Amino acid sequence: MKAAFKRPKAGRTQWVSILFLALSPLIGGAGLTWFLMTGTLSPATLILAGAFALVAGMATTAGYHRLFSHRSYEASLPVRIWLLIVGLLGLQGSALEWSLDHRAHHKYVDHDKDPYSIKKGFWFAHILWIFRSRPRDWRPSHNADLFRDKYVFWQHRYFMPLAIGMNFALPTAIAGIFWGDALGGFLIAGFLRLVFTHHSTFFINSLCHYVGSQPYSDKHTARDNAITAFFTWGEGYHNFHHEFANDYRNGVRWYQFDPGKWAIKLMSYVHLAWGLKRVPDTTIRQRRMQMQKGKTLSQLEKWGWT
């Protein structure tokens, strides 16, 4: 097992990541421009790209984030394997690496050990943190649930060939075989879709700590914002999430956009998911009231009424 887990030294420049993240928007944008100029953009390929974006976003929120990082619910083996496979469409590292980074983020939020601390700047939190390798807690005793999961281990071990196949070979093959648009599958459903997936996820680390309200706590930078929730597949209710990280929901109110919450709940109805963790409503209301009281007192003090 030890030999299979690569542990790069912290502080090394990740030139492959830098090159890929710089070139992928150029390749995807150039492909879209060419198809538009030639009038050959296939509606079927656009639908495929949208489907891949939807699946990738759901795999990140319901899989990498709420299942593997926070264990906010339990899932059947087919669901876990499926989420590990389609989670590759995010091309953001293995579920193991992603979860270790995210757990560190919650543990050290806004401090120096936070892998993508917003205190180091918007662009650092959004993308620059990826450009240098960072230390991770590889001790199995500290993340036993991840290290004893042989399927997480398998995905980590074979991440790169699996990810290349899912992100580029698969859409190219689907579009090429079924409607003769292999190039569109490669450039639009592959590269361009991946750029969208990357930045919709990156916004969780940057924009969700930058814009919005703090109805549950002001002890960290995480914020709630309905608009960012739409662009981050329901992860924009981030102030709630950082206060109640083990809750399977982000959008706690029924009308708040949170497709991950709806998918997990739906899976529980057909017994594919269970043990959904949920903070009591009284606790949530109490936290909101405490925050509102604090804001009111601060305003009265500012006005000199206390």
Side-chain angles (χ1 to χ4, degrees):
M1 179 179 291
K2 290 183 179 179
F5 286 98
K6 297 180 180 179
R7 308 180 187 185
K9 292 182 179 179
R12 286 187 175 177
T13 302
Q14 302 290 77
W15 291 110
V16 173
S17 297
I18 293 172
L19 188 63
F20 183 81
L21 289 170
L23 290 179
S24 54
L26 297 177
I27 295 172
L32 178 62
T33 301
W34 186 82
F35 281 115
L36 290 174
M37 290 180 64
T38 58
T40 56
L41 184 61
S42 168
T45 301
L46 285 177
I47 293 172
L48 179 66
F52 268 55
L54 173 62
V55 171
M58 293 298 292
T60 301
T61 59
Y64 272 33
H65 190 199
R66 303 187 198 183
L67 178 60
F68 295 109
S69 294
H70 290 295
R71 299 292 177 181
S72 62
Y73 68 101
E74 297 294 328
S76 65
L77 181 58
V79 169
R80 286 165 52 212
I81 294 174
W82 168 250
L83 289 172
L84 285 170
I85 292 174
V86 296
L88 296 162
L89 291 172
L91 200 59
Q92 297 169 44
S94 67
L96 175 67
E97 294 170 318
W98 202 99
S99 298
L100 291 179
D101 286 338
H102 192 70
R103 290 179 181 185
H105 168 62
H106 274 264
K107 185 176 181 179
Y108 303 111
V109 62
D110 299 331
H111 292 85
D112 190 58
K113 290 185 179 181
D114 180 351
Y116 27 88
S117 173
I118 194 68
K119 295 291 187 178
K120 297 179 181 179
F122 179 89
W123 288 108
F124 176 86
H126 188 75
I127 193 170
L128 295 179
W129 73 279
I130 300 171
F131 295 168
R132 294 182 75 84
S133 59
R134 55 268 176 208
R136 292 190 177 105
D137 188 354
W138 291 103
R139 291 171 292 181
S141 59
H142 285 212
N143 297 280
D145 59 314
L146 293 169
F147 281 90
R148 66 169 174 253
D149 190 325
K150 64 181 180 180
Y151 300 102
V152 169
F153 172 79
W154 170 81
Q155 193 232 34
H156 175 82
R157 186 172 188 175
Y158 300 106
F159 172 77
M160 192 52 67
L162 290 171
I164 292 173
M166 287 293 293
N167 281 281
F168 302 110
L170 183 60
T172 299
I174 292 174
I177 293 171
F178 291 101
W179 55 88
D181 188 25
L183 184 61
F186 181 69
L187 294 175
I188 305 301
F191 274 99
L192 192 64
R193 188 279 311 166
L194 184 57
V195 172
F196 173 82
T197 296
H198 273 158
H199 290 279
S200 66
T201 306
F202 296 168
F203 278 142
I204 302 170
N205 302 334
S206 56
L207 207 57
C208 291
H209 283 265
Y210 202 76
V211 177
S213 62
Q214 295 179 298
Y216 302 100
S217 176
D218 58 4
K219 292 181 171 61
H220 48 74
T221 56
R223 297 172 182 273
D224 282 10
N225 189 304
I227 296 176
T228 56
F230 180 78
F231 288 104
T232 58
W233 304 102
E235 299 287 348
Y237 300 104
H238 215 54
N239 191 254
F240 175 86
H241 173 62
H242 267 267
E243 277 304 291
F244 309 109
N246 291 328
D247 197 307
Y248 81 95
R249 306 163 297 175
N250 264 210
V252 66
R253 299 186 178 184
W254 67 269
Y255 57 84
Q256 292 177 325
F257 182 75
D258 186 359
K261 168 187 68 177
W262 300 328
I264 294 167
K265 191 65 175 177
L266 180 61
M267 288 191 294
S268 73
Y269 290 144
V270 292
H271 308 292
L272 293 175
W274 59 89
L276 279 59
K277 295 177 183 176
R278 178 175 173 148
V279 177
D281 292 340
T282 53
T283 302
I284 297 172
R285 285 196 295 267
Q286 183 182 32
R287 190 62 58 84
R288 289 182 67 94
M289 290 173 63
Q290 288 173 343
M291 274 296 294
Q292 188 59 50
K293 179 181 177 181
K295 291 177 181 177
T296 302
L297 290 175
S298 295
Q299 191 64 49
L300 291 174
E301 184 178 349
K302 181 180 179 180
W303 291 341
W305 292 2
T306 58

